[in-house]
Amino acid sequence: MFILALFLLSFVASGASAQNIPRVVITTPTSAPTYTTSTTPLMVGGTARDNRGVTKVTWQNDRGGSGVALGTHTWSASVPLQMGVNTLTLTAWDAQEHQGHAVLTVTMTTAPPPPGPMTVEWEYRTTVGDAFQMERCIAPQPC
């Protein structure tokens, strides 16, 4: 009992009480804990709150990549995905460096589709000297 009371006292004294931890909520593309998509990057957005104000919201993909979201109270981020399961962790920070986290597990099911059909207008004026050449480039392959 004494050890538990000492732990609780230490926890509150360090300034890390539940009231001081920022709260971050993911609302876009879903408020559910999982999401499936076939496109990348994924737009992720939501809200963050703290009793002393949120200074930044960051994101991290366990498959690689991290960054700072745009905005604090209402935030958004464009997150690149890899094929398969991507665990995205969004972190809200306050001025005292307290952190609150939200996690979204995103499954990318297929590679993004290639660009659709292309229409080219060309006026043919003469039978000699006109030539046309087109090359279709699809990332990440070089042209």
Side-chain angles (χ1 to χ4, degrees):
M1 183 71 152
F2 176 73
I3 293 173
L4 178 59
L6 185 59
F7 171 75
L8 289 174
L9 180 61
S10 172
F11 185 72
V12 173
S14 72
S17 71
Q19 295 175 346
N20 294 337
I21 294 177
R23 182 167 189 257
V24 60
V25 176
I26 299 169
T27 58
T28 302
T30 181
S31 57
T34 60
Y35 184 72
T36 300
T37 186
S38 61
T39 60
T40 185
L42 179 68
M43 285 304 297
V44 182
T47 60
R49 304 269 190 285
D50 185 70
N51 63 337
R52 294 189 176 128
V54 175
T55 58
K56 66 181 172 181
V57 176
T58 60
W59 62 268
Q60 184 169 9
N61 184 343
D62 74 326
R63 300 286 304 275
S66 62
V68 178
L70 298 174
T72 53
H73 177 72
T74 302
W75 55 267
S76 65
S78 178
V79 180
L81 302 174
Q82 301 295 323
M83 289 294 294
V85 177
N86 297 254
T87 302
L88 310 182
T89 302
L90 283 297
T91 304
W93 302 73
D94 69 11
Q96 288 75 36
E97 297 296 313
H98 299 142
Q99 304 168 23
H101 307 280
V103 176
L104 175 62
T105 302
V106 180
T107 302
M108 187 165 151
T109 57
T110 60
M118 186 182 316
T119 302
V120 177
E121 293 184 24
W122 180 30
E123 185 176 318
Y124 190 75
R125 294 177 185 228
T126 176
T127 58
V128 289
D130 286 338
F132 182 80
Q133 180 178 355
M134 184 186 335
E135 188 174 343
R136 186 174 186 178
C137 304
I138 302 173
Q141 305 299 326
C143 291

